[in-house]
Amino acid sequence: RNIILNNPRKRNALSLCMLRSLREDLLHDAKSKELRVIVISAEGPVFCSGHDLKELSSEDDVKHHSQVFEMCAEVMTLIQKLPVPVIAKVNGLATAAGCQLVASCDIAVASEKSQFATPGVNIGLFCSTPAVALGRSLPRKVALEMLFTGEPLSAQEALMHGLVSKVVPEDKLEEETLKISQKICASSKSVLALGKAAFYRQMTQDLDTAYKMTTQVMVDNLTLRDGQEGIEAFIQKRKPVWSH
């Protein structure tokens, strides 16, 4: 499924309304057998500029501010809880919570002209929530330089430091994203869902706990119909037929 951020006039800012729509789109039919991969892209030269600062400008509306940041955190964590892979297809600038969105996706493909920044410090609002996703995607010193200076990373720098998975020329962005999506669609949905959940779980664990947990996941994987089908197909030298 394609989710397109489509408010280029507002630089695809993550207003409360936009965040609610994004959550709804991510959750829509998430458990359906037909849904195999979600691609998030955007219209216009800016992938996403982060929060709508107009929503954050009056200092007395603390309740509204809490709603905005809580909804944002919910959307970012939801991406990793979904049973299907989520790909960010970035063609342009991703800043602040927009950069957080890219860092929160499972895979990110970017065009060469894309840039990534957390410039909140420059306007007196430190990117503390984007820092959660950034600090888990990038080496600490790279993340902190971005957070302390607000200076952008080029697409190539983002690739080098692990914020994105691939960088391609703008005219190849669609093709490359499609290629990855098709490869994902060729696998079993149930196996991928199991693997994705286990991956994020073990990332927060110590080595021994992670091995103990994933050992059990491997055993569980073999009890799935598609786990057995894949192994039988390999032994019989034929293509597997997934039931998902």
Side-chain angles (χ1 to χ4, degrees), residues 177-193:
T177 309
L178 195 63
K179 208 158 87 181
I180 295 169
S181 301
Q182 285 169 338
K183 194 81 181 118
I184 288 167
C185 290
S187 297
S188 157
K189 178 172 180 173
S190 53
V191 169
L192 277 177

Side-chain angles (χ1 to χ4, degrees), residues 31-177:
K31 294 206 160 62
S32 136
K33 202 190 277 188
E34 277 61 60
L35 179 65
R36 311 300 312 287
V37 63
I38 294 172
V39 177
I40 301 175
S41 62
E43 286 294 327
V46 175
F47 174 77
C48 178
S49 60
H51 290 293
D52 183 346
L53 294 178
K54 286 202 174 90
E55 288 191 331
L56 308 177
S57 60
S58 70
E59 62 185 61
D60 51 12
D61 197 359
V62 172
K63 189 163 172 261
H64 182 74
H65 297 166
S66 294
Q67 265 186 317
V68 170
F69 294 121
E70 281 163 13
M71 177 56 68
C72 187
E74 189 183 326
V75 167
M76 301 299 166
T77 52
L78 171 63
I79 288 171
Q80 294 180 359
K81 288 174 187 162
L82 288 169
V84 297
V86 181
I87 303 174
K89 182 172 100 177
V90 188
N91 188 25
L93 185 64
T95 62
C99 188
Q100 180 184 5
L101 179 59
V102 176
S104 300
C105 286
D106 303 313
I107 294 172
V109 187
S111 68
E112 289 168 338
K113 74 174 189 186
S114 300
Q115 287 188 304
F116 305 86
T118 46
V121 67
N122 300 332
I123 56 156
L125 181 66
F126 197 87
C127 285
S128 293
T129 43
V132 176
L134 231 61
R136 283 161 171 73
S137 289
L138 292 164
R140 186 177 300 186
K141 288 177 174 59
V142 178
L144 286 171
E145 186 183 345
M146 286 179 77
L147 292 159
F148 291 163
T149 67
E151 286 296 305
L153 288 186
S154 69
Q156 284 301 338
E157 288 170 323
L159 176 66
M160 179 171 73
H161 296 304
L163 180 58
V164 300
S165 336
K166 269 198 166 71
V167 172
V168 292
E170 189 177 356
D171 60 357
K172 292 271 189 291
L173 185 61
E174 180 64 41
E175 186 188 320
E176 190 57 47
T177 309

Side-chain angles (χ1 to χ4, degrees), residues 194-195 197-198 201 212-222:
L194 184 82
R201 231 163 66 233
K212 200 171 177 182
M213 186 272 288
T214 52
T215 297
Q216 187 54 51
V217 171
M218 297 290 288
V219 173
D220 295 344
N221 193 153
L222 287 171

